[in-house]
Amino acid sequence: MKDGKKMKKLSSKANRIIFAVLLFISTLLSANPAFAMYDGKSGVSTHAETPGKHDRRYTFTREIGRGGFGNVNLYMDTESNRPVAIKSLFHGKEFSEEQLRKMQKVDSPYVAKAYGLTEIDGKNNLVMEYVDGGIPFIKASIMHQYSKEKLLDICIQLVKAFKAFCDAGLEHIDLGQHTGNVLIDIHGNLKIIDYEDAFEAGDAFMGNMCQALIHVASLLNATDNTLYDKMIEHLPGIVFLPCHWSDNTERMYPGGLLYPTLRFENLIKILEDMKNNLKLSNMRYSQ
């Protein structure tokens, strides 16, 4: 019995070390985003010149993001009467119909929607869902000191978002937890942004499951180690695969930490069960 407990502790420690290594690799290899579709405290000037000739459907409000490859402005869509984020590329580049087609395959409330393309100054710009008040998810979780239940809720949303990428047959290696592409909006919900460079993969499961596990582990390690340990206890045995090159982007990324018998549905259920058990414990404690 004691040997079994000892092995379990060693296994949990080994998993923690592997997650830490993957997280470090992911941080090194993830590129910083050119710009982001949120209006948190980014330090970006909100005073910008009105763009040139553009579709009269959209009324310019202000600039909300700028990077080395492009910028993003806040517009009001006069037809739908909602704010939208319109992204523009520098150096004569523009967004393509192919990028839009791929983005619109992803169907999830936790992934910012791609509405379409609009022409500004003779170039195609990307019209996206505006993420109001978005803050990078780990920073938001620490800043707001979320409860254990809320942390698990964010983890569930994360896994569901990556499942949506998997269901669409897409992978995206620039969703590292430090790039600001995974946000918590003003309503406390998770949103993934800046995924126009996602590529179609023959088998999108491995990359997306790896990303989901890394993001969940990163969040729980940064906020509540007890939840992390409980999640590890429920995961089946691990197989560590080496990093590999992506043929589409010519960049290396963690090919993964794979749990052979684990599927997105299983991981979601593990997290939901943990959340429900917390609720029951809190109810008993309150009584």
Side-chain angles (χ1 to χ4, degrees):
M1 185 72 176
K2 289 182 179 178
D3 289 342
K5 287 184 178 179
K6 188 175 181 182
M7 288 299 295
K8 196 170 188 179
K9 284 183 179 179
L10 287 172
S11 175
S12 178
K13 187 175 181 181
N15 284 357
R16 185 184 289 277
I17 291 170
I18 291 173
F19 265 129
V21 171
L22 276 177
L23 176 57
F24 177 70
I25 294 171
S26 177
T27 302
L28 289 177
L29 298 178
S30 294
N32 288 326
F35 39 82
M37 292 173 295
Y38 69 96
D39 197 16
K41 296 179 180 179
S42 58
V44 174
S45 169
T46 55
H47 303 287
E49 294 183 5
T50 304
K53 185 179 178 182
H54 62 278
D55 190 338
R56 291 185 179 180
R57 170 178 173 174
Y58 302 105
T59 303
F60 175 78
T61 304
R62 54 191 167 88
E63 182 182 88
I64 54 175
R66 177 174 289 267
F69 298 101
N71 70 336
V72 56
N73 292 319
L74 178 64
Y75 284 77
M76 179 59 69
D77 183 342
T78 57
E79 288 188 12
S80 64
N81 197 32
R82 66 186 172 195
V84 294
I86 297 186
K87 303 176 67 173
S88 306
L89 296 176
F90 297 152
H91 313 301
K93 294 183 179 180
E94 64 179 346
F95 292 97
S96 68
E97 293 281 354
E98 177 64 13
Q99 284 177 305
L100 177 65
R101 180 192 67 79
K102 288 188 292 186
M103 295 177 78
Q104 290 185 331
K105 288 171 63 178
V106 184
D107 184 17
S108 170
Y110 310 118
V111 178
K113 296 187 183 303
Y115 294 135
L117 299 175
T118 186
E119 188 175 306
I120 299 177
D121 291 333
K123 295 192 306 179
N124 279 335
N125 288 249
L126 184 62
V127 184
M128 294 288 296
E129 177 183 356
Y130 170 59
V131 181
D132 190 8
I135 300 174
F137 75 115
I138 292 181
K139 180 180 178 181
S141 300
I142 294 172
M143 184 173 70
H144 295 299
Q145 298 182 334
Y146 289 141
S147 67
K148 292 177 185 285
E149 288 183 29
K150 178 61 178 176
L151 288 172
L152 288 170
D153 193 45
I154 292 172
C155 289
I156 291 165
Q157 292 179 19
L158 266 170
V159 178
K160 287 182 176 179
F162 283 107
K163 181 181 184 299
F165 278 95
C166 184
D167 292 343
L170 297 176
E171 284 189 40
H172 186 22
I173 65 173
D174 281 349
L175 290 177
Q177 66 285 347
H178 297 300
T179 65
N181 290 335
V182 185
L183 307 177
I184 302 295
D185 68 16
I186 198 171
H187 306 293
N189 295 315
L190 181 127
K191 288 283 185 181
I192 288 180
I193 62 171
D194 289 353
Y195 57 100
E196 58 270 9
D197 290 326
F199 58 87
E200 291 177 323
D203 182 3
F205 170 76
M206 184 176 70
N208 283 299
M209 178 58 82
C210 179
Q211 289 266 27
L213 287 168
I214 287 174
H215 281 72
V216 168
S218 301
L219 175 61
L220 296 184
N221 266 323
T223 54
D224 195 312
N225 283 335
T226 61
L227 290 178
Y228 173 85
D229 290 336
K230 285 182 180 178
M231 181 187 74
I232 290 295
E233 287 177 9
H234 290 90
L235 292 175
I238 60 172
V239 173
F240 182 68
L241 299 180
C243 297
H244 64 278
W245 287 94
S246 161
D247 294 332
N248 301 68
T249 61
E250 296 183 351
R251 249 187 285 182
M252 202 179 200
Y253 77 109
L257 175 68
L258 274 190
Y259 291 76
T261 60
L262 184 65
R263 291 295 178 265
F264 284 104
E265 293 80 4
N266 306 134
L267 184 53
I268 291 168
K269 187 175 188 310
I270 287 170
L271 294 167
E272 287 178 340
D273 286 347
M274 287 172 62
K275 182 181 173 183
N276 291 333
N277 288 337
L278 267 177
K279 284 182 179 178
L280 289 174
S281 298
N282 291 338
M283 286 174 62
R284 292 193 190 105
Y285 182 77
S286 63
Q287 291 173 356

